[in-house]
Amino acid sequence: MHELAICQSLLREVQRVAARNDASEVVRIGVVVGPLSGVEAPLLERAFTLARCGTIAANATLEIEEAPLTVWCESCGVESQVAMNALLCGRCGTWKVDLRSGNELLLKQVELSRDETAGATG
Amino acid sequence: MCDQCGCATTPDTVHVHDHAGVVTTRSVDAQSVEILTGLLHENDHVAAHNREHLDRHGILAVNLMSSPGSGKTSLLEATIDALGDRHRIAVIEGDLETENDARRIREKGVPAVQITTGQTCHLDAHMVHDALHALDLGAIDILFIENVGNLVCPASFDLGQHANVTLLAVTEGDDKPAKYPVMFRGSDLVLLAKADLLDVLDDFSPQKAVGHVRDLANPADVFTVSARRADTLVPWIAWLEDRLAACRGGMAPRPRSHPASRHSHHHPHHAGAAE
């Protein structure tokens, strides 16, 4: 259950973004999670509902985009969609491939709202 | 936080280095900010800082991981017996509770710092940072970080190590790499431990274990070792000494790709993503 620790880290980052942008509230948080990131999206969602309490993101929604798992085979020049424990070229079957996507663990986007009285210039 | 080295690792200052902050749309009361920062940005920053400290002292730092009971501490004891005369070793021990493992290491005459994590299932870079300050880095050649016994959570947290070493005891299934792909994909070396039991356990195939590691596109060496037989440790000791020489020569290795520190390969360059 390291998802809670990751969620707390995510929220600290979001709070800094909010502070830098003089936000009064965080409306939406967008993250990208790959299957090989070691993070389970449903667990992250559940941890988020706890971790957000009392923060500037207390009412925010968490949107998780799941990245595809793909590898690139240099000898075939082919990109294949693969399973987590079989990172093999879909054409020749070699394991000598590069991971193209699938280990992402990214904070992608934060949607903020701001009090108009807070001095926004528009 | 870090008085000895004068570094700044407080949450407020780490963000100076972020990659952030392209405002894509802005209206009077709403905006959407594109970030593309690792979710574990803060941990990764401290891990990089730890690695800098270790590099400066020419120390090789090895993150030792496995499921509980695979023989990490026994391997360390045998490694100290094999290497202790030639190199100065120190150990950071991670466990939920007790000082037992650190005590075993200290009995070998090697400094050990015990981190008790309570209910936390992994070590993180902050815990290791604090532990580093309890050690005399000028008096260490090889630092072993014995992580919490767990094949899941420790895989996601960079500590500042130079290499990830994962133990798979032959009393476990040889398909563990297929079951825990994140951990074994990130391993720089896999040790098939308790190999003296292979004679009586005919259901563990070292060849199959290697095959499962390769299926993760991982070219890492896989050695068969037994803490009870010093002769089986020779490749492991040579592996360590090769990497220690690299650290001393200013060519410190880096661990295989760490999930949390990796960024997207397909950075979106679009603007105006928000309404």
Side-chain angles (χ1 to χ4, degrees):
Chain A
M1 260 309 287
H2 56 297
E3 277 81 0
L4 186 58
I6 288 174
C7 213
Q8 285 163 336
S9 170
L10 160 71
L11 281 162
R12 281 193 292 272
E13 195 66 32
V14 165
Q15 281 167 311
R16 281 196 286 274
V17 172
R20 245 196 343 257
N21 290 280
D22 302 318
S24 56
E25 199 179 7
V26 176
V27 179
R28 194 182 67 85
I29 301 167
V31 301
V32 185
V33 173
L36 277 177
S37 69
V39 169
E40 287 297 316
L43 291 180
L44 191 63
E45 270 169 2
R46 225 173 300 164
F48 179 74
T49 59
L50 296 173
R52 68 180 173 176
C53 295
T55 73
I56 195 168
N59 297 311
T61 57
L62 179 68
E63 217 163 87
I64 301 176
E65 179 188 325
E66 297 197 41
L69 187 49
T70 57
V71 296
W72 167 258
C73 175
E74 206 171 312
S75 49
C76 293
V78 164
E79 190 170 284
S80 321
Q81 196 125 4
V82 293
M84 266 178 87
N85 53 14
L87 305 182
L88 310 170
C89 172
R91 179 180 286 176
C92 73
T94 184
W95 56 268
K96 291 173 182 171
V97 294
D98 281 335
L99 190 73
R100 273 294 157 94
S101 164
N103 63 348
E104 295 87 344
L105 192 52
L106 293 168
L107 172 58
K108 187 179 174 188
Q109 206 174 46
V110 182
E111 211 170 290
L112 307 164
S113 75
R114 196 188 298 176
D115 258 339
E116 287 186 46
T117 52
T121 51
Chain B
M1 178 177 178
C2 188
D3 297 332
Q4 292 184 25
C5 53
C7 60
T9 58
T10 56
D12 284 344
T13 52
V14 294
H15 204 72
V16 172
H17 303 285
D18 77 1
H19 318 270
V22 183
V23 176
T24 53
T25 62
R26 181 182 281 245
S27 66
V28 176
D29 62 352
Q31 68 182 103
S32 177
V33 183
E34 186 112 349
I35 312 287
L36 285 176
T37 300
L39 248 56
L40 283 167
H41 175 70
E42 198 175 90
N43 181 79
D44 293 347
H45 181 81
V46 177
H49 169 81
N50 290 346
R51 203 173 278 119
E52 276 170 35
H53 269 310
L54 296 162
D55 285 350
R56 206 173 309 138
H57 288 90
I59 298 172
L60 169 67
V62 173
N63 182 19
L64 206 55
M65 295 177 285
S66 78
S67 43
S70 298
K72 293 185 294 299
T73 312
S74 297
L75 177 76
L76 284 181
E77 288 170 320
T79 304
I80 291 164
D81 288 342
L83 265 182
D85 291 343
R86 298 204 289 282
H87 306 295
R88 297 164 302 170
I89 297 172
V91 178
I92 294 173
E93 288 283 351
D95 280 298
L96 300 195
E97 290 295 343
T98 83
E99 185 112 354
N100 295 351
D101 285 356
R103 204 174 297 133
R104 282 170 63 182
I105 297 299
R106 286 183 200 125
E107 280 169 11
K108 294 277 176 191
V110 161
V113 180
Q114 180 78 50
I115 302 173
T116 47
T117 61
Q119 290 308 304
T120 305
C121 45
H122 57 272
L123 293 178
D124 67 26
H126 293 89
M127 296 178 199
V128 170
H129 181 254
D130 290 347
L132 287 179
H133 280 281
L135 290 166
D136 176 6
L137 296 187
I140 299 172
D141 299 311
I142 303 177
L143 173 69
F144 291 103
I145 304 166
E146 184 182 333
N147 217 311
V148 178
N150 178 346
L151 284 175
V152 184
C153 312
S156 291
F157 294 84
D158 188 8
L159 307 177
Q161 73 276 18
H162 297 107
N164 292 317
V165 175
T166 307
L167 268 70
L168 169 56
V170 302
T171 49
E172 306 174 60
D174 52 28
D175 58 351
K176 273 274 168 77
K179 290 177 174 172
Y180 298 89
V182 179
M183 170 65 72
F184 283 93
R185 199 183 78 82
S187 302
D188 299 285
L189 175 68
V190 176
L191 296 176
L192 305 180
K194 304 189 184 182
D196 50 306
L197 294 174
L198 273 175
D199 297 340
V200 289
L201 296 170
D202 56 5
D203 51 353
F204 186 99
S205 160
Q207 291 75 21
K208 280 187 187 164
V210 172
H212 287 303
V213 173
R214 296 292 172 260
D215 286 349
L216 302 173
N218 187 347
D221 284 325
V222 180
F223 299 149
T224 302
V225 299
S226 166
R228 292 163 182 269
R229 294 188 191 162
D231 57 309
T232 67
L233 299 178
V234 172
W236 156 238
I237 299 299
W239 188 93
L240 287 169
E241 290 194 306
D242 282 353
R243 275 146 193 84
L244 175 61
C247 287
R248 286 174 170 166
M251 300 281 286
R254 292 290 176 260
R256 266 176 68 77
S257 63
H258 222 278
S261 58
R262 291 288 298 270
H263 286 213
S264 172
H265 293 278
H266 44 77
H267 287 216
H269 297 292
H270 58 87
E275 282 80 52

